[in-house]
mmCIF file of all heavy atoms in Angstrom:
data_model
loop_
_atom_site.group_PDB
_atom_site.id
_atom_site.type_symbol
_atom_site.label_atom_id
_atom_site.label_comp_id
_atom_site.label_asym_id
_atom_site.label_seq_id
_atom_site.Cartn_x
_atom_site.Cartn_y
_atom_site.Cartn_z
ATOM 1 N N ALA A 1159 46.752 -2.207 -53.555
ATOM 2 C CA ALA A 1159 45.594 -2.891 -52.951
ATOM 3 C C ALA A 1159 44.328 -2.047 -53.132
ATOM 4 O O ALA A 1159 43.243 -2.588 -53.412
ATOM 5 C CB ALA A 1159 45.861 -3.161 -51.478
ATOM 6 N N HIS A 1160 44.452 -0.760 -52.933
ATOM 7 C CA HIS A 1160 43.286 0.103 -53.075
ATOM 8 C C HIS A 1160 42.792 0.140 -54.512
ATOM 9 O O HIS A 1160 41.585 0.140 -54.787
ATOM 10 C CB HIS A 1160 43.637 1.502 -52.619
ATOM 11 C CG HIS A 1160 42.457 2.361 -52.263
ATOM 12 N ND1 HIS A 1160 41.941 3.302 -53.124
ATOM 13 C CD2 HIS A 1160 41.672 2.403 -51.162
ATOM 14 C CE1 HIS A 1160 40.918 3.880 -52.555
ATOM 15 N NE2 HIS A 1160 40.709 3.352 -51.378
ATOM 16 N N ALA A 1161 43.729 0.127 -55.457
ATOM 17 C CA ALA A 1161 43.355 0.168 -56.882
ATOM 18 C C ALA A 1161 42.633 -1.123 -57.318
ATOM 19 O O ALA A 1161 41.838 -1.076 -58.270
ATOM 20 C CB ALA A 1161 44.587 0.389 -57.733
ATOM 21 N N ARG A 1162 42.903 -2.220 -56.622
ATOM 22 C CA ARG A 1162 42.265 -3.482 -56.990
ATOM 23 C C ARG A 1162 40.829 -3.596 -56.482
ATOM 24 O O ARG A 1162 40.093 -4.516 -56.870
ATOM 25 C CB ARG A 1162 43.082 -4.665 -56.455
ATOM 26 C CG ARG A 1162 44.401 -4.901 -57.207
ATOM 27 C CD ARG A 1162 45.013 -6.253 -56.875
ATOM 28 N NE ARG A 1162 45.443 -6.326 -55.497
ATOM 29 C CZ ARG A 1162 46.701 -6.088 -55.085
ATOM 30 N NH1 ARG A 1162 47.612 -5.757 -55.983
ATOM 31 N NH2 ARG A 1162 47.025 -6.193 -53.821
ATOM 32 N N LEU A 1163 40.432 -2.667 -55.621
ATOM 33 C CA LEU A 1163 39.081 -2.735 -55.066
ATOM 34 C C LEU A 1163 38.049 -2.361 -56.121
ATOM 35 O O LEU A 1163 38.307 -1.520 -56.981
ATOM 36 C CB LEU A 1163 38.954 -1.761 -53.896
ATOM 37 C CG LEU A 1163 39.741 -2.064 -52.628
ATOM 38 C CD1 LEU A 1163 39.606 -0.891 -51.674
ATOM 39 C CD2 LEU A 1163 39.280 -3.340 -51.962
ATOM 40 N N PRO A 1164 36.861 -2.942 -56.030
ATOM 41 C CA PRO A 1164 35.757 -2.429 -56.852
ATOM 42 C C PRO A 1164 35.484 -0.978 -56.499
ATOM 43 O O PRO A 1164 35.688 -0.563 -55.342
ATOM 44 C CB PRO A 1164 34.575 -3.323 -56.455
ATOM 45 C CG PRO A 1164 35.145 -4.456 -55.713
ATOM 46 C CD PRO A 1164 36.469 -4.051 -55.162
ATOM 47 N N ALA A 1165 35.034 -0.206 -57.437
ATOM 48 C CA ALA A 1165 34.793 1.216 -57.201
ATOM 49 C C ALA A 1165 33.860 1.443 -55.992
ATOM 50 O O ALA A 1165 34.023 2.411 -55.264
ATOM 51 C CB ALA A 1165 34.204 1.851 -58.445
ATOM 52 N N SER A 1166 32.925 0.531 -55.791
ATOM 53 C CA SER A 1166 31.951 0.679 -54.714
ATOM 54 C C SER A 1166 32.592 0.537 -53.330
ATOM 55 O O SER A 1166 31.953 0.913 -52.327
ATOM 56 C CB SER A 1166 30.828 -0.347 -54.860
ATOM 57 O OG SER A 1166 31.344 -1.657 -54.836
ATOM 58 N N HIS A 1167 33.815 0.014 -53.239
ATOM 59 C CA HIS A 1167 34.452 -0.208 -51.947
ATOM 60 C C HIS A 1167 35.601 0.794 -51.680
ATOM 61 O O HIS A 1167 36.190 0.751 -50.592
ATOM 62 C CB HIS A 1167 35.024 -1.646 -51.863
ATOM 63 C CG HIS A 1167 33.986 -2.682 -51.652
ATOM 64 N ND1 HIS A 1167 33.086 -3.045 -52.635
ATOM 65 C CD2 HIS A 1167 33.679 -3.443 -50.578
ATOM 66 C CE1 HIS A 1167 32.288 -3.993 -52.164
ATOM 67 N NE2 HIS A 1167 32.620 -4.247 -50.928
ATOM 68 N N ARG A 1168 35.893 1.644 -52.600
ATOM 69 C CA ARG A 1168 37.072 2.491 -52.450
ATOM 70 C C ARG A 1168 36.888 3.601 -51.426
ATOM 71 O O ARG A 1168 37.873 4.204 -50.995
ATOM 72 C CB ARG A 1168 37.478 3.069 -53.821
ATOM 73 C CG ARG A 1168 38.055 1.993 -54.733
ATOM 74 C CD ARG A 1168 38.424 2.519 -56.083
ATOM 75 N NE ARG A 1168 38.864 1.423 -56.952
ATOM 76 C CZ ARG A 1168 39.047 1.515 -58.254
ATOM 77 N NH1 ARG A 1168 38.821 2.666 -58.859
ATOM 78 N NH2 ARG A 1168 39.446 0.460 -58.958
ATOM 79 N N ASP A 1169 35.664 3.888 -51.067
ATOM 80 C CA ASP A 1169 35.419 4.907 -50.028
ATOM 81 C C ASP A 1169 34.857 4.275 -48.749
ATOM 82 O O ASP A 1169 34.294 4.962 -47.905
ATOM 83 C CB ASP A 1169 34.441 5.951 -50.539
ATOM 84 C CG ASP A 1169 35.041 6.829 -51.646
ATOM 85 O OD1 ASP A 1169 36.279 6.939 -51.684
ATOM 86 O OD2 ASP A 1169 34.284 7.364 -52.456
ATOM 87 N N ASP A 1170 35.063 2.963 -48.599
ATOM 88 C CA ASP A 1170 34.558 2.246 -47.436
ATOM 89 C C ASP A 1170 35.605 2.291 -46.322
ATOM 90 O O ASP A 1170 36.762 1.894 -46.507
ATOM 91 C CB ASP A 1170 34.255 0.789 -47.798
ATOM 92 C CG ASP A 1170 33.773 0.005 -46.619
ATOM 93 O OD1 ASP A 1170 32.636 0.240 -46.170
ATOM 94 O OD2 ASP A 1170 34.527 -0.866 -46.120
ATOM 95 N N LEU A 1171 35.212 2.786 -45.164
ATOM 96 C CA LEU A 1171 36.131 2.967 -44.023
ATOM 97 C C LEU A 1171 36.732 1.659 -43.588
ATOM 98 O O LEU A 1171 37.968 1.553 -43.422
ATOM 99 C CB LEU A 1171 35.380 3.627 -42.861
ATOM 100 C CG LEU A 1171 36.172 3.786 -41.559
ATOM 101 C CD1 LEU A 1171 37.344 4.716 -41.759
ATOM 102 C CD2 LEU A 1171 35.241 4.314 -40.450
ATOM 103 N N HIS A 1172 35.916 0.643 -43.375
ATOM 104 C CA HIS A 1172 36.432 -0.635 -42.883
ATOM 105 C C HIS A 1172 37.446 -1.217 -43.851
ATOM 106 O O HIS A 1172 38.502 -1.706 -43.426
ATOM 107 C CB HIS A 1172 35.272 -1.608 -42.669
ATOM 108 C CG HIS A 1172 35.705 -2.941 -42.095
ATOM 109 N ND1 HIS A 1172 35.912 -3.155 -40.760
ATOM 110 C CD2 HIS A 1172 35.999 -4.110 -42.727
ATOM 111 C CE1 HIS A 1172 36.297 -4.391 -40.565
ATOM 112 N NE2 HIS A 1172 36.351 -4.989 -41.732
ATOM 113 N N THR A 1173 37.166 -1.160 -45.136
ATOM 114 C CA THR A 1173 38.075 -1.729 -46.126
ATOM 115 C C THR A 1173 39.402 -0.973 -46.151
ATOM 116 O O THR A 1173 40.477 -1.573 -46.233
ATOM 117 C CB THR A 1173 37.414 -1.706 -47.522
ATOM 118 O OG1 THR A 1173 36.178 -2.423 -47.459
ATOM 119 C CG2 THR A 1173 38.312 -2.338 -48.565
ATOM 120 N N ARG A 1174 39.314 0.353 -46.097
ATOM 121 C CA ARG A 1174 40.541 1.159 -46.127
ATOM 122 C C ARG A 1174 41.436 0.848 -44.928
ATOM 123 O O ARG A 1174 42.654 0.711 -45.055
ATOM 124 C CB ARG A 1174 40.193 2.656 -46.133
ATOM 125 C CG ARG A 1174 41.401 3.570 -46.175
ATOM 126 C CD ARG A 1174 42.171 3.427 -47.485
ATOM 127 N NE ARG A 1174 43.415 4.193 -47.459
ATOM 128 C CZ ARG A 1174 44.551 3.750 -46.934
ATOM 129 N NH1 ARG A 1174 44.600 2.531 -46.389
ATOM 130 N NH2 ARG A 1174 45.629 4.489 -46.978
ATOM 131 N N LEU A 1175 40.844 0.715 -43.753
ATOM 132 C CA LEU A 1175 41.635 0.406 -42.577
ATOM 133 C C LEU A 1175 42.169 -1.015 -42.608
ATOM 134 O O LEU A 1175 43.290 -1.287 -42.138
ATOM 135 C CB LEU A 1175 40.774 0.619 -41.335
ATOM 136 C CG LEU A 1175 40.323 2.062 -41.079
ATOM 137 C CD1 LEU A 1175 39.423 2.127 -39.858
ATOM 138 C CD2 LEU A 1175 41.523 2.980 -40.904
ATOM 139 N N ALA A 1176 41.414 -1.937 -43.184
ATOM 140 C CA ALA A 1176 41.898 -3.325 -43.314
ATOM 141 C C ALA A 1176 43.125 -3.372 -44.213
ATOM 142 O O ALA A 1176 44.063 -4.158 -43.942
ATOM 143 C CB ALA A 1176 40.789 -4.211 -43.875
ATOM 144 N N ILE A 1177 43.162 -2.585 -45.263
ATOM 145 C CA ILE A 1177 44.338 -2.540 -46.129
ATOM 146 C C ILE A 1177 45.559 -2.069 -45.358
ATOM 147 O O ILE A 1177 46.647 -2.644 -45.440
ATOM 148 C CB ILE A 1177 44.070 -1.654 -47.361
ATOM 149 C CG1 ILE A 1177 43.076 -2.309 -48.299
ATOM 150 C CG2 ILE A 1177 45.392 -1.326 -48.086
ATOM 151 C CD1 ILE A 1177 42.636 -1.428 -49.448
ATOM 152 N N SER A 1178 45.402 -1.018 -44.572
ATOM 153 C CA SER A 1178 46.519 -0.503 -43.787
ATOM 154 C C SER A 1178 47.045 -1.554 -42.804
ATOM 155 O O SER A 1178 48.259 -1.696 -42.625
ATOM 156 C CB SER A 1178 46.111 0.779 -43.046
ATOM 157 O OG SER A 1178 45.870 1.811 -43.949
ATOM 158 N N SER A 1179 46.146 -2.268 -42.173
ATOM 159 C CA SER A 1179 46.582 -3.307 -41.237
ATOM 160 C C SER A 1179 47.331 -4.418 -41.958
ATOM 161 O O SER A 1179 48.329 -4.925 -41.464
ATOM 162 C CB SER A 1179 45.361 -3.878 -40.473
ATOM 163 O OG SER A 1179 44.902 -2.993 -39.503
ATOM 164 N N TRP A 1180 46.840 -4.802 -43.116
ATOM 165 C CA TRP A 1180 47.495 -5.848 -43.910
ATOM 166 C C TRP A 1180 48.903 -5.416 -44.295
ATOM 167 O O TRP A 1180 49.848 -6.192 -44.174
ATOM 168 C CB TRP A 1180 46.656 -6.123 -45.136
ATOM 169 C CG TRP A 1180 47.291 -7.066 -46.144
ATOM 170 C CD1 TRP A 1180 47.529 -8.411 -45.972
ATOM 171 C CD2 TRP A 1180 47.794 -6.726 -47.429
ATOM 172 N NE1 TRP A 1180 48.135 -8.922 -47.099
ATOM 173 C CE2 TRP A 1180 48.304 -7.911 -48.006
ATOM 174 C CE3 TRP A 1180 47.831 -5.542 -48.161
ATOM 175 C CZ2 TRP A 1180 48.873 -7.934 -49.295
ATOM 176 C CZ3 TRP A 1180 48.384 -5.572 -49.432
ATOM 177 C CH2 TRP A 1180 48.891 -6.746 -49.975
ATOM 178 N N VAL A 1181 49.061 -4.185 -44.752
ATOM 179 C CA VAL A 1181 50.378 -3.692 -45.134
ATOM 180 C C VAL A 1181 51.294 -3.587 -43.916
ATOM 181 O O VAL A 1181 52.477 -3.953 -43.978
ATOM 182 C CB VAL A 1181 50.255 -2.329 -45.856
ATOM 183 C CG1 VAL A 1181 51.649 -1.727 -46.113
ATOM 184 C CG2 VAL A 1181 49.529 -2.497 -47.178
ATOM 185 N N ALA A 1182 50.756 -3.104 -42.789
ATOM 186 C CA ALA A 1182 51.575 -2.981 -41.564
ATOM 187 C C ALA A 1182 52.055 -4.349 -41.085
ATOM 188 O O ALA A 1182 53.197 -4.486 -40.672
ATOM 189 C CB ALA A 1182 50.748 -2.287 -40.483
ATOM 190 N N GLU A 1183 51.193 -5.347 -41.145
ATOM 191 C CA GLU A 1183 51.605 -6.700 -40.759
ATOM 192 C C GLU A 1183 52.736 -7.203 -41.639
ATOM 193 O O GLU A 1183 53.692 -7.824 -41.164
ATOM 194 C CB GLU A 1183 50.422 -7.653 -40.825
ATOM 195 C CG GLU A 1183 49.443 -7.532 -39.668
ATOM 196 C CD GLU A 1183 48.472 -8.696 -39.622
ATOM 197 O OE1 GLU A 1183 48.882 -9.811 -39.239
ATOM 198 O OE2 GLU A 1183 47.292 -8.487 -39.990
ATOM 199 N N ARG A 1184 52.634 -6.916 -42.939
ATOM 200 C CA ARG A 1184 53.687 -7.367 -43.863
ATOM 201 C C ARG A 1184 55.012 -6.687 -43.538
ATOM 202 O O ARG A 1184 56.074 -7.308 -43.679
ATOM 203 C CB ARG A 1184 53.272 -7.054 -45.294
ATOM 204 C CG ARG A 1184 52.119 -7.934 -45.789
ATOM 205 C CD ARG A 1184 51.885 -7.692 -47.274
ATOM 206 N NE ARG A 1184 53.070 -8.024 -48.048
ATOM 207 C CZ ARG A 1184 53.217 -7.677 -49.322
ATOM 208 N NH1 ARG A 1184 52.272 -6.986 -49.966
ATOM 209 N NH2 ARG A 1184 54.342 -7.987 -49.960
ATOM 210 N N GLU A 1185 54.969 -5.446 -43.095
ATOM 211 C CA GLU A 1185 56.215 -4.768 -42.738
ATOM 212 C C GLU A 1185 56.936 -5.531 -41.635
ATOM 213 O O GLU A 1185 58.160 -5.807 -41.726
ATOM 214 C CB GLU A 1185 55.954 -3.329 -42.278
ATOM 215 C CG GLU A 1185 57.245 -2.621 -41.887
ATOM 216 C CD GLU A 1185 57.024 -1.335 -41.104
ATOM 217 O OE1 GLU A 1185 55.898 -1.102 -40.663
ATOM 218 O OE2 GLU A 1185 58.010 -0.592 -40.944
#
Side-chain angles (χ1 to χ4, degrees):
H1160 200 260
R1162 288 194 293 264
L1163 293 173
S1166 59
H1167 285 71
R1168 289 178 184 169
D1169 292 335
D1170 179 71
L1171 176 63
H1172 182 83
T1173 303
R1174 180 66 186 85
L1175 295 176
I1177 290 173
S1178 292
S1179 285
W1180 172 70
V1181 173
E1183 283 193 74
R1184 290 187 60 193
E1185 179 194 12

